[in-house]
Amino acid sequence: LFPYTTLFRSSESRGELFAKLKQAVFEVFMEVAQAIVRDGEGATKFVTVQVNGGAKHQECLDVGYAVAHSPLIKTALFASDPNWGRIICAVGYSGANMVPEKTTLSIGGIPIFTKGMGTDYDEAALRAIMAEHDIVVDIDLNQGTESATVWTCDLTYGYVKINGEYHT
């Protein structure tokens, strides 16, 4: 058995020890959550959807989940297609208070949607980012200080094959 009483014999206070424990547990949970996404059936890409600038945390989560759950976006990610229209559409139907002229979208740090329109960008650089295993999609609603992170993967031929070959 773990001698938990020895935790409190150090010079650190219970509050400091609790904060360290809380951080360690959070890091383990985050690593496990990401591992589950990375191990998705047939997945070839791990995608972080970072939503910032929401008025409410739930609003940011709603945007993140709308993007992460969209089959059209997941297939575009598999095809390495930075289809900003599909992403902005998902932001719009998420239920969040989205103002296109305030919303920005970047993939891998490259801005592709600002001021309500697609932007000019270095296509070769974005193509290289889209071909990577780990991709970051940044959405900024520019309407507050809340943020949320959602992880997802792409939707591949492998997923369809794995799930189409068995019967229940």
Side-chain angles (χ1 to χ4, degrees):
L1 293 174
F2 179 73
Y4 64 90
T5 56
T6 61
L7 279 175
F8 302 111
R9 292 187 183 154
S10 73
S11 62
E12 296 176 288
S13 72
R14 289 181 185 199
E16 291 169 337
L17 288 170
F18 178 75
K20 286 182 178 183
L21 177 62
K22 182 178 170 183
Q23 181 62 32
V25 169
F26 175 80
E27 289 174 10
V28 169
F29 285 177
M30 189 169 63
E31 189 174 319
V32 170
Q34 289 179 0
I36 291 169
V37 174
R38 288 180 189 281
D39 195 35
E41 294 172 330
T44 64
K45 298 186 181 183
F46 175 82
V47 182
T48 300
V49 180
Q50 180 63 50
V51 183
N52 296 311
K56 297 177 182 172
H57 179 71
Q58 187 61 50
E59 179 178 55
C60 294
L61 281 174
D62 291 345
V63 168
Y65 285 126
V67 171
H69 292 165
S70 167
L72 288 173
I73 294 170
K74 290 166 82 73
T75 54
L77 291 164
F78 172 63
S80 297
D81 177 13
N83 192 322
W84 63 261
R86 289 181 180 177
I87 298 170
I88 293 299
C89 181
V91 174
Y93 68 63
S94 71
N97 182 22
M98 184 261 214
V99 178
E101 294 76 22
K102 291 184 176 183
T103 303
T104 63
L105 167 65
S106 299
I107 297 179
I110 298 176
I112 61 173
F113 180 88
T114 60
K115 298 180 183 172
M117 299 174 32
T119 62
D120 291 330
Y121 55 85
D122 182 339
E123 289 185 34
L126 188 55
R127 193 174 309 114
I129 289 167
M130 295 298 297
E132 293 176 5
H133 180 269
D134 289 15
I135 299 171
V136 177
V137 175
D138 284 303
I139 301 161
D140 196 331
L141 300 172
N142 286 302
Q143 296 192 58
T145 59
E146 296 296 323
S147 64
T149 303
V150 176
W151 300 297
T152 191
C153 60
D154 55 350
L155 181 57
T156 67
Y157 300 126
Y159 177 84
V160 174
K161 184 171 175 31
I162 289 167
N163 287 284
E165 288 183 340
Y166 70 85
H167 299 279
T168 56

